[in-house]
Amino acid sequence: MHDSTGTDGGSASSRDARARLERAAVEVFGWSGLRPGQAEAMEEVLRGRDTLVVMPTGAGKSAVYQVPAVLLPGPTVVVSPLISLQRDQIEGLSDSDAPDAVAVNSAQGAGETAEAWRAVREGDAEYLLLSPEQLAKDEVVERLARTEPSLFVVDEAQCISSWGHDFRPDYLRLGHVAERLGRPTLLALTATAAPPVREEIVERLGMERPARIVAGFDRPNLRLEVRGFLDEAEKRRAVVERAAAEAKPSIVYTATRRESEEYAEQLADLGLAAVAYHAGLRSAERSRAHEAFLDGGLDVVVATSAFGMGIDKPDVRFVLHASVPGSPDAYYQEIGRAGRDGAPASAVLHYRSEDLGLQRFFSSGSPDTETLADIADAVRGHDGPLPVARLRERTGLSAGRLTAAVNLLEEAGAVAAVPDGGLAPAGDLDPREAADRAAGLDRARRRLEQSRVEMMRGYAETTGCRRRFLLGYFGEEYEPPCGNCDNCLAAEEEREREREGGNEPERYEERGARGLPAQPVSLPEEGPRPDAGRFRTGARVVHREWGEGLVMSEEGDRITVLFDTVGYRTLSLDAVVGQELLDLAEGQGGQDEPDG
């Protein structure tokens, strides 16, 4: 999907830009050509247009800034959240004839940092990689502004969205940082971002009429499977048995730190090289586990979601989830760590419906109205910008909870971040009005989060194609069967039995081994439904009660809609059409329109 607003793909200037980019890719980087989506995104960057790129893992997102950078004046700033990611990116560039890349981070000594700044200042290095925490320092931003960068790249851009599963508060400053740098071209890169996350990336970074390059999300080499359980003890036994039996190396994801340690111990008792990984471990322990896994010294890492970005190991053969994640966004990001080499790999979810209660708990925390009013009052009553550190002392809130509250007040138009990192009042709302508006925004956000938990239920319990369900969540159409998920394979087996036995197909899936009641298998309809295609993927619709929304997918007799007010909802076509609950928004008209 490509927003082509303002672009003439057939113009002489466009052809010239494409030729220059392809020549640089071959001569500088030694590549044979550019992949789908890369060239379009590079052209937009080269012509100075802000660009959001959503490409699956392994599709070559880094190339989108690497190639145009050698054709643009001034250095390229790359915001990368982890030191390990920065090292990987620098090593990748050193394998080609590309200009030098340097980093500035907390793991360096003073001499190495000084040399990095010298190389950028004197033009010996084209790429400068920094963490968002470094850009929170005034002296770093001022020093960077003097280099007059031409391109500002935000890698792992989903971290800027408080609706995303990798949210990092320090990313929220990056829009202000870009302004202080003289507003270079902005490029945001992410592997998985559903529509609401994409919108927040654009808004938070202050991107101006950005091009949006959204490549296909499908990873056809991943086999998708769900095993359902009614009993917790049975599920735990099955997790250990499956993790022990599957191809290695593998990752097992758990919901809690305690579970990660228990499963790792059980797997180690079976003779496997297995370790736990979670945020409660010391940094040195996490680093040792990370390096051992990447170097091939471990069979299994049993981890919470803390084992995330930077896990760039191409030969992971198996990712197992011992509990249901909080959203399809998180699930797709985590299973995306399997099969990066393109070879077959498996992603298996072990599911109990009761596990969803834990995810609802995780998604339910929010600042109360009194806290929001207190923060708004403190900012408005302070003489000049209020430092965040002083606000933290006054409220007694943790850094994470304070950031969440400030984000809501900023979105409500009551406070604004200033360049030195402090907070200043914005707008004419009094503290109580500001708190009420912020609380309303928070309620809407929590409804979205809880609807995403329910979408995980939908994925786990669907009897249709799981690949179609996941891709539909991200707004991508897919025509089943995929031939590589448990449901499609089960349906194909039934068709094969019908062909061999000449009997009517048993339209029920064999689920006894999974601990779930037998359920109908979704076999193709005999003919098209009368309403098929009326609410196509990408159409804006209006619901009588919930207002406007975006159709994410259509599957048989159901559509999934992302509503602005209540999040994701899966609706029966018979119900919404028969009761006239849903209609196309004004201007849709049922006609295809360019994707934006």
Side-chain angles (χ1 to χ4, degrees), residues 6 44 147 154 158 176 184 199-200 209 286 326 349-350 418 438 446 461 463 475 488 494-495 508 519 551 580 595:
E44 299 290 6
T147 70
V154 181
Q158 76 278 358
H176 300 294
E199 291 307 313
E200 191 167 5
R209 296 186 63 254
R286 295 198 304 272
L349 170 64
H350 283 51
V418 294
R446 283 188 286 121
E461 298 182 0
T463 56
C488 285
E494 289 191 8
R495 293 188 186 95
Y508 287 87
Q519 296 184 21
V551 177
E580 299 183 348
D595 174 70

Side-chain angles (χ1 to χ4, degrees), residues 207-487:
M207 302 180 87
E208 299 174 354
R209 296 186 63 254
R212 303 173 191 231
I213 312 295
V214 183
F217 283 88
D218 190 17
R219 295 282 307 283
N221 62 314
L222 291 187
R223 185 182 185 279
L224 305 176
E225 178 186 342
V226 176
R227 293 197 64 201
F229 299 88
L230 301 176
D231 180 72
E232 172 66 15
E234 182 186 355
K235 187 188 78 167
R236 293 177 71 89
R237 284 193 300 272
V239 166
V240 174
E241 291 171 1
R242 188 70 180 270
E246 285 287 344
K248 310 297 184 294
S250 61
I251 303 172
V252 175
Y253 279 105
T254 66
T256 67
R257 299 175 183 181
R258 180 178 176 180
E259 283 183 339
S260 70
E261 293 175 350
E262 291 173 347
Y263 280 124
E265 183 178 352
Q266 289 178 280
L267 290 169
D269 288 344
L270 294 175
L272 298 173
V275 299
Y277 187 106
H278 57 73
L281 298 174
R282 293 192 300 273
S283 177
E285 291 179 284
R286 295 198 304 272
S287 295
R288 282 196 298 271
H290 186 185
E291 294 302 321
F293 186 68
L294 295 181
D295 293 342
L298 292 174
D299 295 319
V300 186
V301 171
V302 186
T304 63
S305 59
F307 196 62
M309 293 176 294
I311 313 304
D312 190 11
K313 184 172 175 60
D315 61 343
V316 174
R317 300 269 65 87
F318 182 64
V319 172
L320 183 153
H321 280 76
S323 295
V324 63
S327 70
D329 310 67
Y331 185 63
Y332 207 62
Q333 181 93 345
E334 289 167 357
I335 67 174
R337 290 170 190 128
R340 293 190 178 196
D341 55 5
S346 296
V348 180
L349 170 64
H350 283 51
Y351 169 74
R352 284 177 73 235
S353 60
E354 291 82 358
D355 295 341
L356 294 167
L358 182 61
Q359 290 301 339
R360 291 192 194 96
F361 171 78
F362 287 154
S363 68
S364 63
S366 58
D368 59 76
T369 306
E370 291 302 320
T371 298
L372 292 165
D374 188 34
I375 293 172
D377 184 55
V379 172
R380 183 165 294 278
H382 194 265
D383 185 15
L386 175 59
V388 173
R390 188 174 301 176
L391 184 57
R392 191 178 304 160
E393 291 175 6
R394 169 171 172 163
T395 61
L397 295 173
S398 66
R401 290 185 66 80
L402 179 60
T403 299
V406 169
N407 290 349
L408 287 169
L409 288 167
E410 187 171 8
E411 194 172 347
V415 303
V418 294
D420 66 358
L423 297 170
D428 299 324
L429 294 175
D430 67 37
R432 175 55 61 178
E433 290 175 319
D436 288 342
R437 181 179 294 182
L441 292 170
D442 182 59
R443 287 191 295 273
R445 181 157 300 169
R446 283 188 286 121
R447 284 194 294 269
L448 174 65
E449 291 171 350
Q450 289 164 6
S451 77
R452 296 200 296 188
V453 172
E454 289 303 315
M455 290 298 288
M456 279 307 303
R457 180 198 296 277
Y459 171 76
E461 298 182 0
T462 185
T463 56
C465 174
R466 298 198 195 278
R467 182 164 272 100
R468 179 177 185 172
F469 189 101
L470 275 180
L471 297 180
Y473 174 86
F474 292 104
E476 181 175 326
E477 293 182 350
Y478 185 86
E479 189 62 36
C482 71
N484 205 21
C485 79
D486 54 351
N487 286 344

Side-chain angles (χ1 to χ4, degrees), residues 496-516:
E496 185 63 30
R497 285 197 296 270
E498 179 191 9
R499 286 192 291 267
E500 292 177 356
N503 298 319
E504 286 298 313
E506 300 176 13
R507 299 178 67 88
Y508 287 87
E509 183 178 3
E510 297 294 334
R511 286 198 169 193
R514 303 186 191 180
L516 290 177

